[in-house]
Amino acid sequence: MRKAIVLLAAMAAATLLLLGGCSRQDKIVKTQGHVFGTTVEISVYGESEARANELGAQVLKEFDRLHHKYHAWQPSMLTSLNDAIARGEPFQADEEMVSLLQSAAELSARSDYLFNPTIGHLIRLWGFQKNDITAQGPSAAEIKRWVDADPRLSDLRYQGTVVSSVNPAVMIDLGGYAKGYALDRAAAILRDAKVKAALVNVGGNVIAVGQPGARPWQVGIRDPRGEGAIATVSLHDNEAVGTSGDYERYFMKDGKRHPHIVDPRTGQTIDLVASVTIVISGGSDVGLRSDGNSKPLFITGAEGWEAMAKRLGLNEVMMVDAQRNILMTPAMRARMDTGSAPR
């Protein structure tokens, strides 16, 4: 990868904001909800209001199903799996869960286990497995206990859809992966319904279906601690944007920001990066890849993100570091300059 383009910025990290991709006379109907602990929005283009609302309701129903199935601390199929692992017992899952866990395991291995959904004990220790986040101060001994246990998705064993673990320290938290899967499910529902175009936003993770008129969808990368966008990204059919940031689930303690992303190597929260935004194109799992792949880049930080991006095959990446510098790959810069994906 060529040397990243560095821009000095007077603003902090990025989240995503729909700016619109069509003229005023074109019809976009939006359906909003709250699931996965964040705001979700389904924008449907070129359909009647009644049909767009119906499709939005179908997507929200699917989101609700996934939210309850993969919730990390309220009773769910996932918590039942974690309880069985802690007892050293096998668990009867289903094909969807097994497929999701196995795809997550592949990404985990490719990222040198920096993407590690099995560190639920550490995430809970830091107080992020609850709705109301308060300042925490886990002891070094508590952190060391779970770091030394070295849980990984490779510890799981499968017999059909029966899942077990050789490591009882495994506690799976799919908060950094399930939203991406939800985007792919939403896109499948909307494509099956033959919509002309749609955009689905799950807390700043966005997937595009089709094109709203003559122009692609326009998504702004916004300053999360202020108003306005620092850049605009054009999204074409079957492209997704994923952002990991330090600005939604975090707490401040002794002047230090502690976001919900934890380095599995140290058990510590990450305070060197404000956000990472990536664009993923093509394939049947652009949502999954846009969600999961941003986490290893966030953990490696400004010194190692380019090497990790190359390792993961990511071309379009933007990082805002803790000093508010914007680091960007040439391909990401080209997309922003030209309003289209680099060819």
Side-chain angles (χ1 to χ4, degrees), residues 119 123 126 128 133 175-176 179 243-251 258-263 269-270 295 298:
I119 59 170
I123 296 171
W126 279 102
F128 293 117
I133 298 173
K179 290 195 297 293
T243 296
S244 292
D246 70 351
Y247 45 82
E248 285 193 350
R249 294 181 61 79
Y250 72 96
F251 63 85
H258 294 272
H260 70 288
I261 299 176
V262 177
D263 188 336
T269 59
I270 307 295
K295 277 68 181 181
F298 192 97

Side-chain angles (χ1 to χ4, degrees), residues 49-329:
E49 185 170 351
R51 177 162 167 77
N53 286 333
E54 178 186 351
L55 291 171
Q58 289 180 26
V59 171
L60 288 178
K61 183 178 180 180
E62 176 68 356
F63 285 175
D64 190 63
R65 179 187 75 84
L66 296 172
H67 174 75
H68 287 94
K69 182 173 182 176
Y70 296 111
H71 204 290
W73 64 89
Q74 294 177 359
S76 65
M77 180 181 283
L78 184 62
T79 60
S80 296
L81 169 60
N82 286 332
D83 290 344
I85 289 172
R87 295 191 302 266
E89 299 174 357
F91 177 77
Q92 179 62 65
D94 62 16
E95 291 183 2
E96 181 185 56
M97 174 177 271
V98 168
S99 177
L100 193 61
L101 291 174
Q102 290 178 336
S103 69
E106 293 174 2
L107 172 57
S108 184
R110 288 199 306 274
S111 70
D112 199 21
Y113 302 100
L114 294 187
F115 172 71
N116 188 346
T118 67
I119 59 170
H121 285 293
L122 283 168
I123 296 171
R124 178 169 295 180
L125 191 64
W126 279 102
F128 293 117
Q129 284 194 348
K130 58 183 180 180
N131 294 326
D132 298 321
I133 298 173
T134 56
Q136 303 289 315
S139 69
E142 290 176 306
I143 293 173
K144 185 175 186 300
R145 173 191 176 190
W146 296 115
V147 170
D148 289 349
D150 195 25
R152 298 182 178 187
L153 284 172
S154 56
D155 292 327
L156 298 182
R157 299 293 181 268
Y158 302 94
Q159 289 187 330
T161 55
V162 176
V163 185
S164 59
S165 175
V166 297
N167 186 347
V170 166
M171 178 186 281
I172 301 166
D173 185 324
L174 293 172
Y177 204 58
K179 290 195 297 293
Y181 179 65
L183 286 179
D184 290 328
R185 290 291 306 128
I189 290 170
L190 295 167
R191 291 185 195 283
D192 287 347
K194 309 297 184 184
V195 298
K196 294 180 180 178
L199 196 77
V200 184
N201 185 338
V202 179
N205 285 30
V206 181
I207 194 167
V209 176
Q211 179 168 302
R215 297 181 59 204
W217 293 101
Q218 302 294 306
V219 175
I221 302 176
R222 187 181 63 195
D223 173 10
R225 298 185 182 101
E227 299 297 328
I230 58 177
T232 302
V233 175
S234 295
L235 278 193
H236 299 261
D237 180 44
N238 202 30
E239 292 187 329
V241 179
T243 296
S244 292
D246 70 351
Y247 45 82
E248 285 193 350
R249 294 181 61 79
Y250 72 96
F251 63 85
M252 300 295 297
K253 184 177 175 64
D254 299 327
K256 180 178 179 180
R257 181 182 293 261
H258 294 272
H260 70 288
I261 299 176
V262 177
D263 188 336
R265 301 168 298 184
T266 65
Q268 300 291 330
T269 59
I270 307 295
D271 66 343
L272 298 177
V273 175
S275 84
V276 172
T277 299
I278 63 175
V279 180
I280 300 293
S281 305
S284 61
D285 59 349
V286 291
L288 266 181
R289 287 182 284 138
S290 71
D291 195 13
N293 277 287
S294 61
K295 277 68 181 181
L297 300 179
F298 192 97
I299 292 170
T300 54
E303 297 301 319
W305 71 277
E306 288 183 273
M308 180 57 68
K310 184 175 182 180
R311 177 177 184 141
L312 296 174
L314 303 174
N315 294 319
E316 298 176 69
V317 181
M318 185 178 79
M319 173 180 289
V320 182
D321 69 16
Q323 287 71 46
R324 299 182 176 183
N325 297 317
I326 299 178
L327 313 171
M328 198 182 307
T329 59

